[in-house]
PDB file of all heavy atoms in Angstrom:
ATOM      1  N   HIS A 394      83.421  99.707  86.841  1.00 53.00           N
ATOM      2  CA  HIS A 394      84.223 100.307  85.791  1.00 53.00           C
ATOM      3  C   HIS A 394      85.276 101.275  86.200  1.00 53.00           C
ATOM      4  O   HIS A 394      86.435 101.342  85.594  1.00 53.00           O
ATOM      5  CB  HIS A 394      83.202 101.041  84.860  1.00 53.00           C
ATOM      6  CG  HIS A 394      82.372 100.148  84.075  1.00 53.00           C
ATOM      7  ND1 HIS A 394      82.842  99.386  83.049  1.00 53.00           N
ATOM      8  CD2 HIS A 394      80.961  99.947  83.957  1.00 53.00           C
ATOM      9  CE1 HIS A 394      81.874  98.613  82.566  1.00 53.00           C
ATOM     10  NE2 HIS A 394      80.743  98.886  83.063  1.00 53.00           N
ATOM     11  N   PRO A 395      85.176 102.022  87.224  1.00 54.00           N
ATOM     12  CA  PRO A 395      86.324 102.884  87.713  1.00 54.00           C
ATOM     13  C   PRO A 395      87.617 102.107  87.918  1.00 54.00           C
ATOM     14  O   PRO A 395      88.550 102.574  87.474  1.00 54.00           O
ATOM     15  CB  PRO A 395      85.753 103.702  89.015  1.00 54.00           C
ATOM     16  CG  PRO A 395      84.246 103.616  88.795  1.00 54.00           C
ATOM     17  CD  PRO A 395      83.927 102.331  88.221  1.00 54.00           C
ATOM     18  N   ILE A 396      87.442 100.990  88.601  1.00 50.00           N
ATOM     19  CA  ILE A 396      88.615 100.212  88.902  1.00 50.00           C
ATOM     20  C   ILE A 396      89.173  99.571  87.567  1.00 50.00           C
ATOM     21  O   ILE A 396      90.436  99.685  87.368  1.00 50.00           O
ATOM     22  CB  ILE A 396      88.164  99.065  89.871  1.00 50.00           C
ATOM     23  CG1 ILE A 396      87.879  99.509  91.140  1.00 50.00           C
ATOM     24  CG2 ILE A 396      89.468  98.055  89.962  1.00 50.00           C
ATOM     25  CD1 ILE A 396      87.364  98.494  92.295  1.00 50.00           C
ATOM     26  N   VAL A 397      88.335  99.137  86.705  1.00 48.00           N
ATOM     27  CA  VAL A 397      88.741  98.521  85.461  1.00 48.00           C
ATOM     28  C   VAL A 397      89.444  99.662  84.652  1.00 48.00           C
ATOM     29  O   VAL A 397      90.488  99.409  84.078  1.00 48.00           O
ATOM     30  CB  VAL A 397      87.584  97.981  84.683  1.00 48.00           C
ATOM     31  CG1 VAL A 397      88.050  97.446  83.273  1.00 48.00           C
ATOM     32  CG2 VAL A 397      86.953  96.738  85.348  1.00 48.00           C
ATOM     33  N   ASP A 398      88.906 100.768  84.529  1.00 54.00           N
ATOM     34  CA  ASP A 398      89.515 101.917  83.858  1.00 54.00           C
ATOM     35  C   ASP A 398      90.860 102.278  84.290  1.00 54.00           C
ATOM     36  O   ASP A 398      91.850 102.547  83.518  1.00 54.00           O
ATOM     37  CB  ASP A 398      88.544 103.150  83.850  1.00 54.00           C
ATOM     38  CG  ASP A 398      87.276 102.844  83.124  1.00 54.00           C
ATOM     39  OD1 ASP A 398      87.202 101.882  82.274  1.00 54.00           O
ATOM     40  OD2 ASP A 398      86.314 103.636  83.311  1.00 54.00           O
ATOM     41  N   ARG A 399      91.007 102.366  85.662  1.00 52.00           N
ATOM     42  CA  ARG A 399      92.375 102.660  86.128  1.00 52.00           C
ATOM     43  C   ARG A 399      93.399 101.600  85.750  1.00 52.00           C
ATOM     44  O   ARG A 399      94.525 101.904  85.392  1.00 52.00           O
ATOM     45  CB  ARG A 399      92.156 102.769  87.713  1.00 52.00           C
ATOM     46  CG  ARG A 399      91.473 104.014  88.224  1.00 52.00           C
ATOM     47  CD  ARG A 399      92.281 105.216  88.423  1.00 52.00           C
ATOM     48  NE  ARG A 399      91.698 106.314  88.884  1.00 52.00           N
ATOM     49  CZ  ARG A 399      92.142 107.497  89.169  1.00 52.00           C
ATOM     50  NH1 ARG A 399      93.491 107.626  89.025  1.00 52.00           N
ATOM     51  NH2 ARG A 399      91.546 108.421  89.625  1.00 52.00           N
ATOM     52  N   VAL A 400      92.963 100.349  86.022  1.00 53.00           N
ATOM     53  CA  VAL A 400      94.020  99.304  85.756  1.00 53.00           C
ATOM     54  C   VAL A 400      94.283  99.243  84.285  1.00 53.00           C
ATOM     55  O   VAL A 400      95.456  99.042  83.793  1.00 53.00           O
ATOM     56  CB  VAL A 400      93.457  97.930  86.230  1.00 53.00           C
ATOM     57  CG1 VAL A 400      94.271  96.729  85.749  1.00 53.00           C
ATOM     58  CG2 VAL A 400      93.222  98.004  87.711  1.00 53.00           C
ATOM     59  N   GLY A 401      93.326  99.451  83.335  1.00 52.00           N
ATOM     60  CA  GLY A 401      93.443  99.377  81.964  1.00 52.00           C
ATOM     61  C   GLY A 401      94.269 100.367  81.461  1.00 52.00           C
ATOM     62  O   GLY A 401      94.847 100.183  80.320  1.00 52.00           O
ATOM     63  N   GLN A 402      94.599 101.458  82.033  1.00 50.00           N
ATOM     64  CA  GLN A 402      95.413 102.553  81.539  1.00 50.00           C
ATOM     65  C   GLN A 402      96.758 102.077  81.334  1.00 50.00           C
ATOM     66  O   GLN A 402      97.548 102.512  80.443  1.00 50.00           O
ATOM     67  CB  GLN A 402      95.500 103.814  82.599  1.00 50.00           C
ATOM     68  CG  GLN A 402      94.215 104.433  82.552  1.00 50.00           C
ATOM     69  CD  GLN A 402      94.191 105.685  83.443  1.00 50.00           C
ATOM     70  OE1 GLN A 402      95.251 105.810  84.152  1.00 50.00           O
ATOM     71  NE2 GLN A 402      93.210 106.498  83.619  1.00 50.00           N
ATOM     72  N   PHE A 403      97.389 101.055  82.211  1.00 49.00           N
ATOM     73  CA  PHE A 403      98.611 100.694  82.051  1.00 49.00           C
ATOM     74  C   PHE A 403      98.862  99.188  82.345  1.00 49.00           C
ATOM     75  O   PHE A 403      99.896  98.590  82.236  1.00 49.00           O
ATOM     76  CB  PHE A 403      99.481 101.391  83.154  1.00 49.00           C
ATOM     77  CG  PHE A 403      99.146 101.140  84.489  1.00 49.00           C
ATOM     78  CD1 PHE A 403      99.555 100.162  85.224  1.00 49.00           C
ATOM     79  CD2 PHE A 403      98.245 102.103  85.180  1.00 49.00           C
ATOM     80  CE1 PHE A 403      99.196 100.042  86.700  1.00 49.00           C
ATOM     81  CE2 PHE A 403      98.008 102.065  86.473  1.00 49.00           C
ATOM     82  CZ  PHE A 403      98.376 100.951  87.214  1.00 49.00           C
ATOM     83  N   GLY A 404      97.755  98.428  82.766  1.00 50.00           N
ATOM     84  CA  GLY A 404      97.961  97.066  83.134  1.00 50.00           C
ATOM     85  C   GLY A 404      98.484  96.170  81.948  1.00 50.00           C
ATOM     86  O   GLY A 404      99.259  95.159  82.215  1.00 50.00           O
ATOM     87  N   THR A 405      98.032  96.485  80.696  1.00 49.00           N
ATOM     88  CA  THR A 405      98.387  95.612  79.659  1.00 49.00           C
ATOM     89  C   THR A 405      99.842  95.663  79.333  1.00 49.00           C
ATOM     90  O   THR A 405     100.370  94.764  78.794  1.00 49.00           O
ATOM     91  CB  THR A 405      97.550  95.873  78.347  1.00 49.00           C
ATOM     92  OG1 THR A 405      97.709  97.289  78.162  1.00 49.00           O
ATOM     93  CG2 THR A 405      96.073  95.572  78.557  1.00 49.00           C
ATOM     94  N   ALA A 406     100.487  96.692  79.660  1.00 48.00           N
ATOM     95  CA  ALA A 406     101.914  96.841  79.478  1.00 48.00           C
ATOM     96  C   ALA A 406     102.710  96.011  80.465  1.00 48.00           C
ATOM     97  O   ALA A 406     103.993  95.833  80.157  1.00 48.00           O
ATOM     98  CB  ALA A 406     102.303  98.335  79.660  1.00 48.00           C
ATOM     99  N   VAL A 407     102.111  95.513  81.509  1.00 53.00           N
ATOM    100  CA  VAL A 407     102.948  94.773  82.521  1.00 53.00           C
ATOM    101  C   VAL A 407     102.640  93.328  82.170  1.00 53.00           C
ATOM    102  O   VAL A 407     101.485  92.936  82.087  1.00 53.00           O
ATOM    103  CB  VAL A 407     102.430  95.128  84.019  1.00 53.00           C
ATOM    104  CG1 VAL A 407     103.299  94.329  84.966  1.00 53.00           C
ATOM    105  CG2 VAL A 407     102.714  96.522  84.214  1.00 53.00           C
ATOM    106  N   SER A 408     103.648  92.446  82.049  1.00 53.00           N
ATOM    107  CA  SER A 408     103.590  91.074  81.710  1.00 53.00           C
ATOM    108  C   SER A 408     102.644  90.277  82.710  1.00 53.00           C
ATOM    109  O   SER A 408     102.890  90.528  83.948  1.00 53.00           O
ATOM    110  CB  SER A 408     104.907  90.568  81.418  1.00 53.00           C
ATOM    111  OG  SER A 408     105.629  90.471  82.695  1.00 53.00           O
ATOM    112  N   PHE A 409     101.971  89.256  82.274  1.00 50.00           N
ATOM    113  CA  PHE A 409     101.104  88.493  83.239  1.00 50.00           C
ATOM    114  C   PHE A 409     102.073  87.703  84.222  1.00 50.00           C
ATOM    115  O   PHE A 409     101.726  87.577  85.348  1.00 50.00           O
ATOM    116  CB  PHE A 409     100.241  87.593  82.532  1.00 50.00           C
ATOM    117  CG  PHE A 409      98.972  88.235  82.131  1.00 50.00           C
ATOM    118  CD1 PHE A 409      98.786  88.683  80.722  1.00 50.00           C
ATOM    119  CD2 PHE A 409      97.927  88.434  82.917  1.00 50.00           C
ATOM    120  CE1 PHE A 409      97.595  89.298  80.261  1.00 50.00           C
ATOM    121  CE2 PHE A 409      96.748  89.129  82.534  1.00 50.00           C
ATOM    122  CZ  PHE A 409      96.651  89.612  81.252  1.00 50.00           C
ATOM    123  N   PRO A 410     103.161  87.182  83.760  1.00 53.00           N
ATOM    124  CA  PRO A 410     104.046  86.521  84.732  1.00 53.00           C
ATOM    125  C   PRO A 410     104.464  87.374  85.899  1.00 53.00           C
ATOM    126  O   PRO A 410     104.540  86.958  87.005  1.00 53.00           O
ATOM    127  CB  PRO A 410     105.312  86.081  83.965  1.00 53.00           C
ATOM    128  CG  PRO A 410     104.751  85.916  82.590  1.00 53.00           C
ATOM    129  CD  PRO A 410     103.689  87.002  82.405  1.00 53.00           C
TER     130      PRO A 410
END
Side-chain angles (χ1 to χ4, degrees):
H394 286 295
I396 296 177
V397 175
D398 293 341
R399 289 274 182 174
V400 173
Q402 289 179 356
F403 58 89
T405 54
V407 184
S408 63
F409 278 101

